[in-house]
Every structure is written in C-alpha cells, then in structure tokens.
Amino acid sequence: TLNLKFPHFARLHVALPTLNEQARISEILNDTHRAISLSQDLRNQKRAIRDQAILARIRVLGVRDRLLDEVVVSISAGKSPLCEDRPARNGEAGVLKVGAVSPIGFLPDENKVVKDVSAFRSDMEVRLGDLLLTRANGSPALIGMCCVVDRLPRRLYLSDKTFRLHIDENRADRQFLNVALKSPQVRAQIEGASTGGAGSMANLSQSAIRAIRLPIPKLDVQREIVGLEKNLAAAIAAEESKLEALERVKTELARRLLTGELRVKS
C-alpha cells in the first residue's frame, strides 16, 4: 500500500494566493461546476423525453412485446488472437475491441492491429450496416451495448466478444432494433440476464439475447420511429457537445488558476 505521511506531504510546494484571491478562484470554479451540472440535467431530460416519446408512439399503436428470437435469423462472432495493442494503420487490418460498440455508436478506431489475417474467416469481417452487440464487458452498464456500423475506414474483424445479429429484413429494420435495444425497458432485461461475479467480466449468452422481449411494430412504423429518434438524438448530441466544452473549460481554468498562471483580482 502506498503511503504519504504528513511530514512528507507538508513539504510539497503549492501556489498560495491571498485569501481574497482564493475566494474568487473558488467562486469561478463553482460557477463552472454549476454550469456543468445544469448541462448534465438538460442532457438527461432530453434523453428521458426521447425514451418517453418512442414508448408513447408504440403504446398508441397497441404493439405487443415479442421475442427478439422471432426476427433474429442467426448470431455470429469472431475471435480474439494475441495482437499488438495499437490500432491498425493504413493498409493494416484490426480486430474490434469491446469499446468499438459504444453508447454513441460505432468507433472503428477501437481495434487492435492484426498481423495475420489468415486467422480469420471471411465471414468474420465487419461490414457496413452490420448490427453489432457486445456479449462481454467489464462494466454491467455496457454489456449488450449495440450499434450499426456506419463507416469502415479500414478492414476490421469481429472479436469473440462481439456478436453480429443477422436480421429477418422482412420483419425488422436493424436501425429500429438498434434504438429498441437501448431503451430502458430492454436495458433492464439485458443487465438482469448477464452473468459474471464481482470483479469478473459480465457475459451475455446467445440464448439470453434471443429471449429479450421488445415491441416490434410493422416495418413502416419502425422506420418512422427511427426518424423520430434521429431528430431527438440531434438535440441530445448538441447538449453533450456543450457539456464536453464546459468540462474542458473547467479543467483548463482550474489548471491555470491553481498554478498561478492566471491571476484574478479580489
């Protein structure tokens, strides 16, 4: 166990402005913290509005829940060989890391370079439009996270922790399933069905995925809901960009104020 005893701690050098300036610095940083908290609240409110709007549209139609198994033709995965821990560069191929399937969408740079592509079958290659879902993750909140592959800057392969869901396109729109699988009602099922004890990686079996219950309306309604979600997602993304900017401002202000690089009048 690392220790920092007071005699050593007391010898650290810190910038120490006047008491009046200390008070002013605290006010400035507290103001930025309040702005960040407000932005977080607005983002969460917009997320809740999105979820409620989608649920309300489905309820109005009286759509009953169905098993995901009814629209999933098959589920496939890849493999995770030993790889150099860096992303693939131009002309190289990569295998997806679990972080590639994220709450904000597909992140192709979250990969490890593959030196020998012969280790992968051709059907393990990621394709545009794939509906991906993580079967294992160290965070329960991210188990069963899904996304649709919308860009492929290089050749990428599925790992053994990433499922590709093959959908019956006559009954389901993959973009709709991407929205539905992220809804609070479905997320609760996913987290409840995952396995793994404390300190271990949570897992989700294919049978658990197929047993997920969710409303599946007609195709035209599914696409209408996808359009509704996209419109509401734009407002959420704008608030998240604002939040990220505020957090960068606070970090830089704190650095400059607490080191004395930036001085303020009392």
Side-chain angles (χ1 to χ4, degrees):
T1 302
L2 297 176
N3 282 285
L4 182 62
K5 296 183 179 179
F6 181 71
H8 303 103
F9 181 72
R11 290 202 296 270
L12 295 177
H13 291 267
V14 296
L16 191 64
T18 65
L19 281 173
N20 285 337
E21 191 173 355
Q22 291 177 40
R24 184 71 186 111
I25 289 171
S26 295
E27 290 174 5
I28 292 170
L29 295 181
N30 284 335
D31 283 344
T32 60
H33 178 71
R34 282 190 288 270
I36 288 171
S37 295
L38 177 60
S39 183
Q40 288 172 332
D41 290 343
L42 287 171
R43 178 201 58 192
N44 293 339
Q45 288 171 19
K46 290 177 180 180
R47 285 177 176 173
I49 290 170
R50 174 199 59 195
D51 295 338
Q52 291 165 8
I54 292 171
L55 183 60
R57 181 70 183 113
I58 290 173
R59 282 178 173 170
V60 164
L61 296 169
V63 180
R64 67 183 181 87
D65 286 354
R66 296 179 179 274
L67 292 175
L68 186 60
D69 184 53
E70 294 183 36
V71 296
V72 171
V73 177
S74 62
I75 301 175
S76 59
K79 58 174 63 176
S80 297
L82 289 174
C83 298
E84 186 179 344
D85 193 8
R86 67 167 177 83
R89 304 188 182 104
N90 292 337
E92 295 178 323
V95 59
L96 297 183
K97 297 166 70 173
V98 291
V101 182
S102 81
I104 62 172
F106 183 60
L107 303 178
D109 290 336
E110 286 291 311
N111 71 79
K112 291 183 179 181
V113 64
V114 174
K115 293 297 186 182
D116 182 12
V117 296
S118 66
F120 292 87
R121 300 191 309 271
S122 60
D123 63 329
M124 294 179 181
E125 187 172 347
V126 179
R127 305 180 186 93
L128 282 173
D130 279 349
L131 176 59
L132 305 182
L133 184 145
T134 55
R135 73 153 186 86
N137 200 293
S139 169
L142 295 176
I143 185 71
M145 188 54 59
C146 64
C147 73
V148 173
V149 177
D150 56 359
R151 59 195 187 281
L152 273 176
R154 62 190 56 83
R155 186 189 299 181
L156 296 172
Y157 291 95
L158 298 171
S159 75
D160 64 346
K161 296 180 177 63
T162 311
F163 283 144
R164 172 166 42 210
L165 305 186
H166 301 268
I167 306 302
D168 180 351
E169 296 184 357
N170 293 317
R171 303 189 63 188
D173 182 287
R174 66 193 64 193
Q175 293 286 358
F176 169 77
L177 292 179
N178 182 43
V179 172
L181 287 167
K182 293 175 182 174
S183 68
Q185 296 79 7
V186 175
R187 288 298 312 161
Q189 293 180 60
I190 289 173
E191 292 181 27
S194 64
T195 60
S200 64
M201 185 168 283
N203 284 274
L204 196 64
S205 67
Q206 291 195 28
S207 59
I209 293 170
R210 290 180 176 277
I212 292 171
R213 301 191 68 86
L214 71 168
I216 304 178
K218 294 180 179 180
L219 275 172
D220 59 337
V221 177
Q222 292 181 37
R223 289 164 185 153
E224 175 196 329
I225 289 172
V226 169
L228 172 63
E229 194 277 338
K230 283 183 178 178
N231 290 335
L232 295 171
I236 296 170
E239 197 61 49
E240 287 177 338
S241 294
K242 176 183 174 184
L243 178 58
E244 290 172 1
L246 285 170
E247 288 174 338
R248 288 195 298 270
V249 167
K250 182 180 179 181
T251 298
E252 182 62 11
L253 266 177
R255 184 190 68 78
R256 297 182 68 189
L257 288 169
L258 297 177
T259 61
E261 179 182 326
L262 178 66
R263 304 298 297 273
V264 293
K265 295 181 179 179
S266 59

